[in-house]
Amino acid sequence: MKIFIAGERSSKKANSDWFTGSVWQDTIIEAPEPGRVRGLRVTFTPGSRTAWHTHPLGQTLHVLDGIGLIGVRNEEVNVIKPGDTIWIPPNEEHWHGATANNMMVHLALQESLDGKTANWLEQVSEQDYQL
C-alpha cells in the first residue's frame, strides 16, 4: 500500500501543445504495472480547453466544480456541470474545457495501453469551441 499525502505532489501547468489557455493538473494516481489506471484533477480557467484527442481505452470525466463544455467531432457541443459523469469510448475524437466565462474542474480517469493514455490531435478552433 502507498498513501499519497495531500500537498506532497505539486500542481503542474498543462502542456501548451495539447491545451489552449491556462490549465492546471494534479495527479491523483498513476498505478504501477500491471495496473493501468491514470487519474488527474484538471482545473480549466475560463476559455481554456484541451486539443482534440482520443484515448485508446476510453476516458471517464467527472465534473467537480464550475461549468464546462465537451465536444465530439461533428456533433453539437454539450454543457457539463458539477456531478455530471461522462464516458468517452475508445478512439472517439473529442475535447473538453471551461466555458468562456467560468472555470471548470473535473477528474479525468483513463487507462494506459502500452504506456499511452491519449493520442493528441490539432487544437480546437474558435468555431468548434462555440456553443
Side-chain angles (χ1 to χ4, degrees):
M1 176 188 306
K2 178 154 178 70
I3 298 173
F4 297 94
I5 306 300
E8 284 186 346
R9 296 180 284 182
S10 299
S11 298
K12 295 180 183 173
K13 190 158 176 43
N15 187 326
S16 62
D17 291 341
W18 304 329
F19 293 84
T20 297
S22 184
V23 178
W24 291 88
Q25 299 174 322
D26 293 282
T27 299
I28 302 299
I29 188 65
E30 287 186 16
E33 294 291 336
R36 301 189 301 191
V37 70
R38 305 291 186 263
L40 294 168
R41 180 179 188 272
V42 186
T43 302
F44 295 87
T45 58
S48 64
R49 56 197 177 264
T50 69
W52 286 102
H53 62 287
T54 64
H55 298 277
L57 296 174
Q59 182 182 48
T60 299
L61 302 177
H62 181 76
V63 182
L64 298 172
D65 195 20
I67 302 174
L69 301 172
I70 187 164
V72 173
R73 189 76 77 177
N74 301 317
E75 292 185 16
E76 294 288 321
V77 174
N78 289 288
V79 174
I80 53 178
K81 297 179 182 177
D84 290 350
T85 300
I86 302 97
W87 164 246
I88 301 146
N91 302 312
E92 183 170 73
E93 292 185 9
H94 69 285
W95 63 270
H96 35 98
T99 64
N101 298 314
N102 299 95
M103 293 184 69
M104 192 267 292
V105 180
H106 69 46
L107 291 180
L109 305 168
Q110 54 271 324
E111 293 180 285
S112 65
L113 181 63
D114 299 323
K116 195 169 191 175
T117 59
N119 298 303
W120 293 99
L121 306 168
E122 77 276 12
Q123 294 288 346
V124 173
S125 70
E126 287 299 318
Q127 180 179 345
D128 287 338
Y129 176 69
Q130 301 300 317
L131 282 174

